[in-house]
Amino acid sequence: MGRFVIFGAGGRAGRQAVAEARRRGHQVTAVVRDPSRYGGLADGGVRIAAGDVTDVADVAALAAGHDAAINTAAAIAPETFFTSAAHALIKGLRQAGVDRLVTVGLATLLPGPDGTRLLDMPGFPAEFRPFCLAHADGLEALRAEGAALDWVYVSPVGDFDHEGERTGHYEIREHGDLAARISYADFALVLLDEAETPRHHRSHLAVT
């Protein structure tokens, strides 16, 4: 049985990560902004805690004593959210003595078959570009400053199937494909597999 701290545990990806961790018998600290809104997450193996993934002290205190951290937290604003979260996770996890970070990212940062990032391809919707670039800044912070941390940045190859059910399997791909889909439940398999037995290190892992 492992011990995992999951930041952003109240979101769709976070809830499925908590459920998958409990399915495997692990102990979980589910970190949310307001625990009073997420009482349904709790069971015998889940502790709900208030915390801010962009705050170094919160990350350090909440991650202490865990085997790995999973970050599923996201925000549209401010645009510095993902960079701030990356900085706090790098520093806070080091203080807590936690070496492994599995964090959720975006498919649009993946290269297409010709090597061009999906967000840089002709016709990509301009209104989504600021959010994608904010994610890119967070990934770059991990690459630039996370050498002491064993991190992996996991994204769908394309997007989530919001109504999809758990199939129990997934595939790893090298290129992005915005038409590809994966359910949140199957995506959680990847997060827990990589938290339990790290196979990919300091890289962008794409799954469908």
Side-chain angles (χ1 to χ4, degrees):
M1 181 173 64
R3 295 168 296 175
F4 299 102
V5 56
I6 301 176
F7 294 93
R12 285 173 289 194
R15 285 177 177 273
Q16 289 294 337
V18 171
E20 183 61 29
R22 290 299 302 133
R23 185 178 288 113
R24 300 182 187 201
H26 299 309
Q27 293 181 351
V28 178
T29 297
V31 182
V32 295
R33 290 276 191 165
D34 181 2
S36 68
R37 297 175 54 195
Y38 299 102
L41 284 173
D43 69 15
V46 178
R47 177 174 74 94
I48 302 178
D52 180 355
V53 74
T54 67
D55 184 278
V56 175
D58 276 7
V59 172
L62 291 164
H66 293 81
D67 300 310
I70 297 172
N71 175 38
T72 67
I76 296 175
E79 291 184 358
T80 57
F81 175 84
F82 297 103
T83 304
S84 297
H87 291 318
L89 287 163
I90 291 167
K91 295 177 182 178
L93 293 179
R94 186 181 305 136
Q95 292 177 17
V98 175
D99 296 326
R100 182 61 169 174
L101 169 65
V102 181
T103 191
V104 176
L106 280 188
T108 53
L109 307 186
L110 290 166
D114 67 352
T116 303
R117 287 189 308 181
L118 297 184
L119 71 92
D120 296 323
M121 290 183 171
F124 186 83
E127 62 268 27
F128 298 143
R129 191 170 176 82
F131 180 71
C132 295
L133 292 176
H135 253 290
D137 289 342
L139 176 56
E140 184 54 36
L142 284 174
R143 287 172 170 160
E145 303 172 28
L149 188 65
D150 184 16
W151 58 268
V152 62
Y153 183 90
V154 185
S155 79
V157 167
D159 199 356
F160 290 106
D161 179 352
H162 297 276
E163 305 301 326
E165 298 181 354
R166 187 180 191 271
T167 68
H169 63 84
Y170 59 88
E171 297 178 7
I172 297 171
R173 301 277 179 85
E174 293 184 4
H175 300 113
D177 177 1
L178 293 178
R181 295 291 182 270
I182 187 171
S183 70
Y184 283 101
D186 285 339
F187 190 75
L189 300 176
V190 190
L191 302 181
L192 268 298
D193 284 352
E194 289 293 331
E196 288 177 342
T197 308
R199 293 183 299 161
H200 299 85
H201 309 277
R202 302 182 183 90
S203 62
H204 185 167
L205 177 64
V207 295
T208 192

